[in-house]
């Protein structure tokens, strides 16, 4: 899809017209709106749409709110909901090319608007369907989106914001592609190739550690999880420094982003049952996010070195696979008793976190992972769990999330949860036996904390929102790319 910025909508295009408090942003269409809304229940609520095809051309009216406060209360969420819904509607009507009227109240939300359009236009299965189904998808594709700014003095600002939004959404759509991709396509080699592309596009320094080096470094937990897989594990590291940093900026310690990269989580010998195993290609969402994030950095105004670290492996069964009761020695030196092979995420992350802290002495480390089913049970798919050891970092992330409609909700790590993760024989255990499910997300976080020390740290458990069967208006079923926009907004302010 391409965004363009003409001064008037092209006649042939389907025109998306915002409606605030039942007022059409295009005044000449007010009569049409008034007559149409009589026949259909259009109340102008956020995300409500009304389609018209007649003498005035093709029009989708889209509600931005009906009550007296709605103009004041326009939020990222309401704007994204509205334009996500309008874009989907336009796709259903095979619009191909659309024009969106950017009325005055939308000027400050142009980035969110463009993000919503580009995210809503994403077609998850376009790479896999063939024949008629593929043709149908192609027919629904939106090729061009014109943004027509009503107040010409704001057009430059809208243009810049929309371009940014488009870039961010394209990155997020890549993350969705990678996460949706099944394990026979998105294997460790696939991620190597993506990491090379990101390095080339961004100028980041790429290091990929393989089995031999990972073993030599002593990452016994990553090696342990990998043993059931026919593919070698990888530790992908992308190290990005912006050009033209001042001497003071150069001295700032980097920010490290660590992402969980499980190609497929079968559960291992604690095999996942029917109903829980089917979508476990989603378990690489964290790694996909942090790797793709680096490719965006040259386009953002960030004055910091940022490093992405992604441990990548499958969690499978087989003669060599990890067994419950094994004891592994981690990179940090701490020993870990395996009480549940399905608690693999915390194992690979524990090694990646300890290594990254050792190697890069970051000012802050943020990990992002589809870590626990428990977090999904607690928060559903509209919130990610937010954990950590630093109030300020947590608050910045939470604010960033709210600003971009990727909400984070703080959850606690009680010292007693840490106690539950102590091993019977070894220093730690990877799952609390017996009461495994109680406070499962918090205990996962408590385990990770063992590898953090004093470094400022936040942990985002995205098990709920990373993959959805109940999409928001601008999402689709499957991978959402959740977390990318939070990290972008956070880094811009850090
Ligand atoms: N990848 C899963 C978590 C998950 C579940 C993500 C559902 C998305 C949707 C993770 O590796 C896992 O299996 N965690 C276990 C931990 C337990 C064994 C301590 C869980 O949540 O049950
Ligand atoms: Zn698991
Ligand atoms: Zn997992």
């Amino acid at each position: 899809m391409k965004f363009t910025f003409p001064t008037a909508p092209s006649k042939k295009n389907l025109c998306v017209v915002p409606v605030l408090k039942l007022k059409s942003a295009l005044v000449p269409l007010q009569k049409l709106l008034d007559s149409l809304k009589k026949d259909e229940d259009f109340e102008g609520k956020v995300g409500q749409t009304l389609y018209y095809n007649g003498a005035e051309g093709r029009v989708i009216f889209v509600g931005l709110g009906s009550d007296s406060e709605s103009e004041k209360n326009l939020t990222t969420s309401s704007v994204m909901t509205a334009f996500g819904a309008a874009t989907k509607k336009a796709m259903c009507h095979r619009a191909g090319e659309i024009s969106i009227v950017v009325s005055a109240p939308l000027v400050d939300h142009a980035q969110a608007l463009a993000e919503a359009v580009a995210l809503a236009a994403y077609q998850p299965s376009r790479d896999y369907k063939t024949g008629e189904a593929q043709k149908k998808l192609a027919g629904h594709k939106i090729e061009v989106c014109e943004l027509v700014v009503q107040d010409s003095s704001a057009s430059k600002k809208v243009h810049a914001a929309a371009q940014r939004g488009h870039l961010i959404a394209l990155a997020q759509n890549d993350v969705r592609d990678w996460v949706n991709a099944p394990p026979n396509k998105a294997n460790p080699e696939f991620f190597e190739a993506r990491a090379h592309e990101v390095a080339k596009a961004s100028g980041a320094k790429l290091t990929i550690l393989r089995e031999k080096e990972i073993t030599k470094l002593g990452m016994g937990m990553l090696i342990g999880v990998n043993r059931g897989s026919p593919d070698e594990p990888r530790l992908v590291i992308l190290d990005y420094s912006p050009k033209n940093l001042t001497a003071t900026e150069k001295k700032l310690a980097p920010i490290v982003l660590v992402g969980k990269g499980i190609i497929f989580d079968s559960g291992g010998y604690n095999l996942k049952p029917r109903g829980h195993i089917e979508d476990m290609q989603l378990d690489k969402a964290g790694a996909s996010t942090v790797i793709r994030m680096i490719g965006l950095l040259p386009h953002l105004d960030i004055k910091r070195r940022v490093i992405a670290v992604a441990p990548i492996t499958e969690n499978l069964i087989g003669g060599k696979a990890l067994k419950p009761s094994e004891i592994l020695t981690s990179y940090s030196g701490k020993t870990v008793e395996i009480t549940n092979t399905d608690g693999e995420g915390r194992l690979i992350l524990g090694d990646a976190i300890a290594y990254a802290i050792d190697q890069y002495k970051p000012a802050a480390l943020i990990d992002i992972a589809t870590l626990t089913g428990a977090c999904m049970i607690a928060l559903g798919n509209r919130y990610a769990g937010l954990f950590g050891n630093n109030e300020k970092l947590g608050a910045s992330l939470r604010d960033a999330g709210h600003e971009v409609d990727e909400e984070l909700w703080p959850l606690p790590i009680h010292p007693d949860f840490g106690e539950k993760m102590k091993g019977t024989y070894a220093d730690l255990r990877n799952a609390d036996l017996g009461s495994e499910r109680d406070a499962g997300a918090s205990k996962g976080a408590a385990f990770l904390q063992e590898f953090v020390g004093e470094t400022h740290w936040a942990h985002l458990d995205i098990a709920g929102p990373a993959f959805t069967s109940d999409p928001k208006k601008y999402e689709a079923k499957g991978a959402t790319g959740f977390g990318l926009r939070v990290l972008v907004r956070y880094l811009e302010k850090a």
Side-chain angles (χ1 to χ4, degrees):
M1 190 178 53
K2 205 171 83 190
F3 280 92
T4 60
F5 302 90
T7 47
S10 303
K11 285 261 169 343
K12 62 176 180 10
N13 283 10
L14 185 154
C15 193
V16 175
V17 182
V19 176
L20 242 174
K21 294 183 274 182
L22 286 174
K23 293 274 166 281
S24 162
L26 287 182
V27 179
L29 293 186
Q30 186 65 44
K31 264 204 178 127
L32 175 65
L33 173 64
D34 290 339
S35 68
L36 286 174
K37 75 171 200 281
K38 275 190 220 132
D39 300 333
E40 289 188 44
D41 283 339
F42 183 82
E43 297 162 299
K45 287 193 178 143
V46 174
Q48 216 184 358
T49 55
L50 189 56
Y51 175 72
Y52 167 82
N53 185 358
E56 281 84 351
R58 293 212 284 170
V59 179
I60 289 174
F61 291 105
V62 60
L64 279 173
S66 49
D67 60 50
S68 56
E69 298 285 280
S70 36
E71 179 159 356
K72 217 175 66 203
N73 292 343
L74 273 189
T75 59
T76 301
S77 169
S78 62
V79 168
M80 292 187 77
T81 300
F83 290 94
T87 304
K88 291 257 177 81
K89 188 91 178 171
M91 289 166 80
C92 284
H93 290 284
R94 302 172 159 270
E97 305 198 357
I98 63 173
S99 306
I100 296 179
V101 178
V102 182
S103 51
L106 288 167
V107 162
D108 291 331
H109 297 277
Q111 181 177 329
L113 189 160
E115 281 171 0
V117 172
L119 290 170
Y122 171 78
Q123 297 178 308
S125 50
R126 70 190 185 290
D127 289 344
Y128 306 114
K129 297 276 189 201
T130 64
E132 283 306 310
Q134 189 185 51
K135 274 198 201 127
K136 193 170 163 203
L137 279 170
H140 287 188
K141 202 170 157 192
I142 294 188
E143 304 281 359
V144 177
C145 175
E146 294 184 346
L147 296 184
V148 184
V149 187
Q150 284 188 318
D151 170 7
S152 59
S153 69
S155 62
K156 252 198 170 153
K157 182 175 157 182
V158 167
H159 192 139
Q163 296 287 22
R164 280 171 56 79
H166 189 203
L167 274 173
I168 293 168
L170 286 179
Q172 196 154 1
N173 286 344
D174 281 347
V175 174
R176 295 163 84 184
D177 270 346
W178 304 356
V179 176
N180 281 328
N184 58 331
K185 308 263 178 209
N187 55 15
E189 259 171 39
F190 170 94
F191 277 97
E192 281 201 341
R194 300 292 81 75
H196 277 287
E197 287 167 6
V198 163
K200 201 163 163 218
S202 64
K205 185 171 158 265
L206 172 64
T207 312
I208 300 178
L209 305 182
R210 287 202 170 217
E211 185 168 9
K212 222 168 139 189
E213 292 144 296
I214 295 170
T215 308
K216 208 161 139 203
L217 282 165
M219 297 189 189
M221 298 197 292
L222 176 53
I223 291 292
V225 172
N226 177 255
R227 285 206 322 257
S229 171
D231 295 325
E232 282 186 59
R234 309 286 200 278
L235 190 72
V236 173
I237 302 169
L238 282 156
D239 184 344
Y240 175 80
S241 289
K243 296 208 169 69
N244 310 324
L245 288 186
T246 64
T248 351
E249 284 162 355
K250 270 191 191 148
K251 278 197 202 119
L252 288 175
I255 292 172
V256 168
L257 309 174
V258 179
K260 172 177 173 182
I262 294 289
I263 298 293
F264 187 81
D265 183 10
S266 73
Y269 276 106
N270 291 97
L271 194 62
K272 286 185 183 293
R274 179 176 64 191
H276 293 263
I277 198 169
E278 294 78 1
D279 291 329
M280 276 303 137
Q281 86 278 19
L282 67 79
D283 222 14
K284 52 193 171 352
S288 302
T289 305
V290 301
I291 291 173
R292 187 59 185 83
M293 177 77 222
I294 298 291
L296 262 182
L297 296 177
H299 305 285
L300 306 173
D301 188 26
I302 289 170
K303 306 248 177 293
R304 263 301 170 116
R305 181 175 169 207
V306 181
I307 302 161
V309 179
I312 293 176
T313 175
E314 256 177 327
N315 185 25
L316 298 181
I317 56 173
K320 292 185 179 157
L322 187 65
K323 293 174 273 290
S325 85
E326 282 193 40
I327 292 176
L328 303 177
T329 302
S330 68
Y331 175 86
S332 72
K334 289 183 182 175
T335 54
V336 181
E337 219 167 284
I338 303 305
T339 36
N340 191 322
T341 58
D342 202 9
E344 84 297 337
R346 57 198 71 186
L347 299 173
I348 69 168
L349 287 173
D351 272 346
I353 289 171
Y355 176 76
I357 289 176
D358 223 18
Q359 196 75 7
Y360 302 110
K361 317 264 176 307
L365 184 145
I366 302 164
D367 78 74
I368 174 161
T370 45
L371 202 73
T372 66
C375 199
M376 186 164 66
I377 300 297
L379 299 177
N381 59 21
R382 292 295 187 261
Y383 291 89
L386 169 65
F387 301 84
N389 62 6
N390 184 274
E391 289 284 334
K392 203 170 148 231
L393 174 61
S396 312
L397 281 162
R398 194 175 171 196
D399 290 347
H402 184 67
E403 288 170 24
V404 299
D405 199 33
E406 291 188 332
E407 300 279 0
L408 311 178
W409 198 261
L411 291 172
I413 309 179
H414 194 279
D416 287 354
F417 297 154
E419 286 307 308
K420 302 258 188 217
M421 303 313 289
K422 295 271 181 290
T424 314
Y425 309 102
D427 299 330
L428 299 170
R429 58 181 177 187
N430 79 326
D432 177 20
L433 288 172
S435 57
E436 209 168 74
R437 288 186 186 279
D438 305 358
S442 292
K443 285 188 285 192
F447 182 88
L448 294 181
Q449 187 161 27
E450 293 288 334
F451 302 91
V452 171
E454 300 301 310
T455 302
H456 293 177
W457 161 70
H459 159 57
L460 312 185
D461 190 333
I462 58 167
F467 202 88
T468 185
S469 53
D470 167 31
K472 296 178 188 172
K473 294 280 191 209
Y474 57 88
E475 293 174 339
K477 281 189 183 176
T480 60
F482 185 104
L484 188 100
R485 299 203 302 279
V486 180
L487 293 178
V488 167
R489 184 57 59 97
Y490 166 76
L491 288 175
E492 283 176 329
K493 292 183 164 181

